[in-house]
Amino acid sequence: MTKLLEVNNLSISFTQYVQGLNRHDSKVISDLSIDVNENEIVAILGSSGSGKSLLAHSLLGILPYNSNVSGEIKYKGDILDQDLKEKLRGNEICLIPQSVNFLDPLMKVSEQAIGECKDEKEYNEKKLRQREIFTKYGLDESVDNLYPFELSGGMARKVLLSTALLDDPKLLIADEPTPGLDAKSVKETIEDIKNLKEHGKGVLLITHEIDVALKTADKIAVFYSGHVIEINKVGNFKNVDNLLHPYTKALITSLPKNGFNLTEGVQPLGDVSGCPYYQNCPNRMDKCENNIPNLVNHNGVFIRCFDFEEANDES
Ligand SMILES: Nc1ncnc2c1ncn2[C@@H]1O[C@H](COP(=O)(O)OP(=O)(O)OP(=O)(O)O)[C@@H](O)[C@H]1O
Ligand SMILES: [Mg+2]
């Protein structure tokens, strides 16, 4: 399997000035490592505010100016620095953004989906594909000439989705592509994402909806308070005994109750000195309060918990 994307120990923090004078750095993503291969869909599953969109934006090179980034990102083995991000963005690497604010307010939606073309031939080809994809998502010809403010929320999401698919990316970063869509469009979206995978592409699917992750992904990285706490194969999510982290187990056990939604429960925001799950963990030990376990490989499952770090040390 060829590795497309490789993220090693990525951390993102923000510098903020409190009351105009005191500089404060708050960490939003800590020590994140994840790979995406060709022919693979990796879901990042995390609740609101856990740092998912920032991860997407760091991969595309569109983080806000007050962010500080450390760690390493590679694309096909090359360091993905800002120059390479800008070069690949919109062709090899595409984003389905979470916010409809990514649409250009002054441009007709069909024109922004088609994007810049080098000649008339390319334009005509893309125009045909644009119409095809729009039709598939139920956007009829009258939509082509609309401006973003004339669209409903659901229509705008479909335009964002079509725009990314039209570019035929090698690596797709889909940041919450389904909320606000009707059931049929959710199904179409999942099928399109799977279809990309069948054609050798890699997909990083960011979502807080467990059922979307379970239906679509090959493996799921569970995000908790800016930390990846477990990366496990999707098949293992069928049986709670195959899951290792107490948070992942709790998620799956409580599925019917929380309506497949990951928004319940309080996660610590900002800086934590120990394991981010310490306050809620049924198995916590004293050392978990002030020490963060590493993400270790336990029989092919990546897990961030001292229970498994020790088991690994002994082997
Ligand atoms: N420019 C910024 N300055 C300071 N903090 C920020 C900035 N942008 C985002 N954050 C903080 O980073 C955290 C993670 O934000 P992010 O948008 O990545 O969350 P998310 O997991 O995508 O949430 P959601 O599921 O709601 O989309 C949030 O607590 C947010 O307040
Ligand atoms: Mg987000």
Side-chain angles (χ1 to χ4, degrees), residues 14 16 26 28 46-55 64 66 98 175-176 208 269:
F14 284 104
Q16 282 170 322
S26 59
V28 189
S47 69
S48 191
S50 58
K52 303 182 302 294
S53 291
L54 290 173
L55 167 66
N66 63 334
Q98 178 175 17
D175 189 1
E176 306 275 9
H208 65 270
L269 282 178

Side-chain angles (χ1 to χ4, degrees), residues 224-225 227 229 245-251 264-268 272 274-284 288-289 291-293 304-305:
Y224 190 86
S225 242
H227 294 79
I229 51 145
H245 198 284
Y247 175 65
T248 320
K249 284 178 186 283
L251 273 182
E264 281 188 16
V266 181
Q267 296 189 15
V272 279
C275 171
Y277 197 53
Y278 175 75
Q279 291 297 341
N280 299 315
C281 184
N283 314 331
R284 66 183 173 207
C288 307
E289 187 174 5
N291 300 286
I292 300 186
R304 191 187 287 281
C305 175

